[in-house]
């Protein structure tokens, strides 16, 4: 029997497939589309997702296809440089078009043994005490132990579960596309700079020689976008259509903001855009989906393998729902700051001035890059619930080199601790160097600190909470 059916081969579904395969879980990904999309939605990875790729040994592949940019300027597009000394080994944004991210993750998932079936649309779903039956558009029925809806903002899985998706509907729609233009590049740049003084939902930026990514408010909300609509809207907003022609692709997106009430209904879970949607300001959606998958993968694998402690799978909702709620909130704030009305413009000026205070800038940057995410594990230690950056360990090793397999890890600077009973799930390293802010820390497979201390008794209180009962003998 299949262990997990994943609906949707977007970045969330593919990242989840990779994580599950690390633990030998049998995964089938069902994707509606026959071919990967050419539409470039996300343009890059923020720090935490870059770290996630590094934690799993995937970063070199991404670096080979991406461009590194400074971290600053993301919050509501306010052009402030990033603060000095972000607490990460990867203080940059990695510019990489979403279809490339999708392809790299699909390649990795396939390498690890996930089966990706394209042209398979999920249309039905039933669950019972033992598993889930998934129905496809062609009438085929598949059975698995669990299923995860990673099928995007209009998620069929979420609708079939009857999970509500409260929030605000789209107020405005925007056209997006890549196309050629006959106008002189210098003229395009100057007109764009001029228009953007009053209209921030607008951009015509070079993708490669003679090809531009065009973003312009949409005119009609129901029909598929056309080149003619793009031209009309460019003329209406910028006074010229720059001679755009030969679109590679055209798309339309809205600014709805919604979040699934529950991320789990029995044996079915939701992740990525299926669980939350928001306008793309700040470039956070894909990152959030990858990080959902990173949180869920090892927990679902533990459930399937049989060692998951009580409540581990439910901690996925408990940890990730508040994180997305916070992203939704910051995008609402950013959208307000990007309005051209006089009140929001005044607030934008004020926020921009406040960002000259290093602490304000740092706070907002850590939010957008997701490195300040802290799960509530209880306890007082400053590190608890946070992810560790890629700290240097002894003998020239780095932490993330030790986490490629997705297992738990005890970093033990005392040399006196033991993971006996859990060694099949948790690695133990004593040569930790001098960068740890605790005698020892226990890391979950997603790199978040589950325990920090120096005594075996404390460790023994926490190992079962995250890694289940000790193996006898
Ligand atoms: C203009 C724009 C710019 C953006 N820029 C950024 C950015 O810079 N940074 C960022 O982090 N995010 C950005 N985002 C958001 C990002 O694109 C999404 O958050 C991301 O694609 C979500 O990934 P996902 O895998 O959850 O869903 P999706 O990428 O939507 O993938 C869902 C998959 O499920 C498939 N599917 C749907 N229904 C079914 C079904 N019934 N059965 C089987 N398969 C199905 C779909 O075909 C699709 O392949 C942007 C979005 C837009 C619109």
């Amino acid at each position: 029997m299949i262990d997990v059916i994943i609906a949707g081969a977007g970045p969330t579904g593919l990242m989840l497939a990779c994580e599950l395969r690390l633990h030998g879980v049998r995964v089938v990904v069902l994707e509606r589309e026959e071919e990967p999309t050419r539409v470039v939605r996300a343009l890059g990875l923020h720090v935490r997702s870059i770290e996630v790729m590094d934690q799993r040994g995937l970063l070199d592949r991404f670096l080979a296809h991406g461009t590194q940019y400074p971290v600053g300027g993301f919050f509501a597009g306010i052009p402030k440089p990033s603060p000095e000394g972000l607490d990460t080994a990867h203080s940059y944004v990695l510019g990489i078009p979403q279809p490339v991210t999708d392809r790299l993750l699909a390649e990795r998932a396939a390498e690890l043994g996930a089966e990706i079936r394209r042209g398979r649309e999920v249309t039905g779903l039933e669950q019972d005490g033992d598993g889930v039956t998934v129905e496809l558009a062609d009438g085929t029925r598949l059975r698995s132990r669990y299923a995860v809806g990673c099928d995007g903002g209009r998620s069929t899985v979420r609708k079939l579960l009857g999970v509500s998706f409260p929030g605000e509907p789209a107020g405005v729609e925007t056209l997006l596309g890549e196309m050629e233009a006959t106008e002189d590049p210098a003229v395009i740049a100057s007109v764009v700079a001029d228009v953007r003084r009053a209209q921030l939902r607008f951009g015509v930026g070079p993708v490669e020689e003679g090809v531009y990514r065009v973003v312009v408010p949409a005119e009609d909300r129901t029909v598929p976008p056309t080149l003619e609509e793009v031209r009309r809207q460019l003329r209406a907003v910028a006074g010229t259509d720059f001679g755009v022609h030969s679109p590679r692709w055209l798309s339309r997106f809205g600014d709805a903001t919604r979040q699934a009430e529950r991320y789990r209904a029995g044996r079915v879970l939701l992740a990525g855009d299926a669980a939350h949607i928001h306008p793309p300001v700040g470039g956070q959606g894909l990152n959030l989906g990858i990080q959902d998958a990173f949180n869920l993968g090892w927990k679902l694998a533990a459930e399937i393998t049989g060692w998951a402690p009580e409540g581990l799978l439910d901690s996925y909702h408990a940890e990730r729902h508040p994180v997305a709620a916070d992203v939704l909130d910051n995008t609402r704030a950013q959208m307000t700051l990007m309005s051209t009305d006089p009140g929001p413009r005044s607030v934008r000026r004020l926020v921009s001035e406040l960002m000259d205070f290093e602490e304000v800038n740092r706070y907002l940057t850590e939010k957008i890059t997701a490195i300040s995410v802290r799960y509530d594990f209880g306890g007082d230690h400053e590190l608890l619930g946070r992810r560790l950056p890629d700290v240097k360990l002894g003998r020239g090793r780095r932490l993330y080199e030790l986490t490629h397999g997705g297992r738990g890890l005890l970093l033990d600077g005392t040399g006196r601790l033991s993971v006996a009973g859990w060694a099949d799930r948790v690695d133990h390293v004593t040569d930790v160097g001098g960068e740890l802010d605790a005698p020892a820390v226990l890391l979950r497979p997603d790199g978040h600190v589950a325990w920090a201390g120096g005594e075996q008794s404390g460790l023994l209180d926490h190992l079962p909470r995250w890694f289940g009962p000790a193996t006898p003998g």
Side-chain angles (χ1 to χ4, degrees):
M1 181 150 112
I2 301 166
D3 291 321
V4 179
I5 288 177
I6 297 174
T12 307
L14 293 168
M15 185 74 207
L16 181 62
C18 292
E19 285 298 291
L20 290 168
R21 282 304 304 154
L22 286 180
H23 302 279
V25 170
R26 285 160 298 185
V27 185
V28 171
V29 184
L30 301 171
E31 166 56 48
R32 182 180 57 195
E33 304 299 326
E34 293 279 355
E35 296 295 331
T37 178
R38 299 176 66 205
V39 173
V40 182
R41 289 185 284 161
L43 291 173
L45 300 182
H46 277 305
V47 174
R48 182 58 191 138
S49 301
I50 296 169
E51 289 183 344
V52 161
M53 297 310 163
D54 200 14
Q55 279 175 263
R56 291 297 181 262
L58 293 177
L59 185 57
D60 285 347
R61 303 177 188 208
F62 282 81
L63 290 176
H65 290 88
T67 310
Q68 297 180 30
Y69 297 104
V71 176
F74 275 87
F75 187 77
I78 295 174
K80 297 285 172 182
S82 105
E84 290 293 310
L86 280 186
D87 187 20
T88 176
H90 301 288
S91 202
Y92 53 85
V93 173
L94 188 64
I96 186 164
Q98 183 164 341
V100 179
T101 296
D102 291 358
R103 176 170 60 77
L104 293 175
L105 290 175
E107 284 170 6
R108 178 63 176 159
E111 255 169 51
L112 290 168
E115 201 186 320
I116 303 169
R117 300 184 192 166
R118 293 198 153 269
R120 302 282 192 282
E121 180 178 0
V122 172
T123 52
L125 190 134
E126 279 166 22
Q127 56 176 315
D128 52 47
D130 302 322
V132 184
T133 304
V134 170
E135 190 167 334
L136 304 185
D138 64 5
T140 313
R141 291 162 80 85
L142 295 171
R143 186 91 178 140
S144 60
R145 295 173 69 186
Y146 285 85
V148 187
C150 299
D151 49 347
R154 295 174 205 277
S155 171
T156 301
V157 172
R158 187 187 67 234
K159 289 173 193 157
L160 289 168
L161 290 174
V163 169
S164 63
F165 201 41
E168 301 94 65
V172 291
E173 300 273 327
T174 305
L175 289 174
L176 174 70
E178 277 181 10
M179 60 206 77
E180 295 177 33
T182 53
E183 185 55 276
D184 179 339
V187 173
I188 296 180
S190 140
V191 174
V192 169
D194 210 36
V195 174
R196 278 184 59 84
R197 273 192 261 281
Q199 170 60 274
L200 291 170
R201 221 154 41 85
F202 174 78
V204 181
V207 176
E208 59 189 61
E209 181 140 4
V211 181
Y212 292 83
R213 178 174 170 101
V214 175
V215 181
V216 66
E219 166 185 80
D220 192 306
R221 293 186 187 178
T222 49
V223 297
T226 60
L227 178 63
E228 205 30 60
E229 185 188 351
V230 175
R231 285 187 175 136
R232 272 198 306 275
Q233 288 306 98
L234 283 172
R235 288 196 291 268
V237 176
T240 165
D241 64 15
F242 304 113
V244 291
H245 65 96
S246 312
R248 287 176 170 179
W249 50 264
L250 295 171
S251 179
R252 186 192 293 282
F253 65 94
D255 63 344
T257 303
R258 296 181 178 279
Q259 187 174 21
E261 211 155 45
R262 303 181 277 153
Y263 283 13
R264 179 181 181 191
R267 291 178 169 271
V268 187
L269 298 108
L270 298 170
D273 277 17
H276 38 70
I277 54 168
H278 56 83
V281 286
Q284 299 167 94
L286 173 147
N287 288 273
L288 197 54
I290 282 178
Q291 291 157 38
D292 283 348
F294 205 55
N295 183 286
L296 175 58
W298 68 277
K299 295 174 181 174
L300 190 50
E303 193 71 35
I304 285 161
T305 317
W307 58 257
E310 182 77 27
L312 184 69
L313 195 52
D314 285 326
S315 74
Y316 165 63
H317 169 99
E319 292 171 8
R320 294 304 296 172
H321 192 278
V323 171
D326 191 56
V327 170
L328 263 54
D329 233 32
N330 85 47
T331 57
R332 287 186 185 100
Q334 291 186 73
M335 288 302 278
T336 304
L337 292 173
M338 292 176 82
S339 156
T340 48
D341 293 341
R345 283 176 75 92
S346 304
V347 181
R348 184 183 176 87
R349 270 193 294 277
L350 198 62
V351 171
S352 177
E353 285 164 21
L354 288 173
M355 285 179 75
D356 289 334
F357 291 95
E358 208 263 353
E359 268 189 63
V360 175
N361 193 3
R362 182 175 299 280
Y363 177 81
L364 294 174
T365 305
E366 289 183 348
K367 204 181 250 309
I368 294 278
T369 56
I371 59 174
S372 56
V373 166
R374 183 178 194 179
Y375 301 135
D376 182 5
F377 296 167
D380 301 329
H381 198 285
E382 174 54 25
L383 292 177
L384 268 181
R386 297 185 191 278
R387 105 296 181 225
L388 273 196
D390 188 21
V391 291
K392 274 196 210 116
L393 303 176
R395 285 190 283 138
R397 289 193 297 183
R398 303 200 68 104
L399 171 61
Y400 290 179
E401 290 167 18
L402 306 183
T403 59
H404 295 182
R407 291 160 53 82
L409 177 62
L410 177 68
L411 293 178
D412 173 12
T414 74
R416 289 182 280 103
L417 303 174
S418 160
V419 294
W422 288 271
D424 54 340
R425 285 149 274 172
V426 181
D427 294 329
H428 183 188
V429 170
T430 51
D431 199 355
V432 301
E435 286 193 3
L436 266 192
D437 291 333
V441 296
L442 176 64
L443 297 180
R444 308 193 312 183
D446 59 359
H448 282 257
V449 176
W451 170 79
E455 299 303 326
Q456 183 70 18
S457 58
L459 177 63
L460 288 176
D461 285 344
H462 286 78
L463 279 166
R465 174 176 172 192
W466 298 109
F467 296 100
T471 306

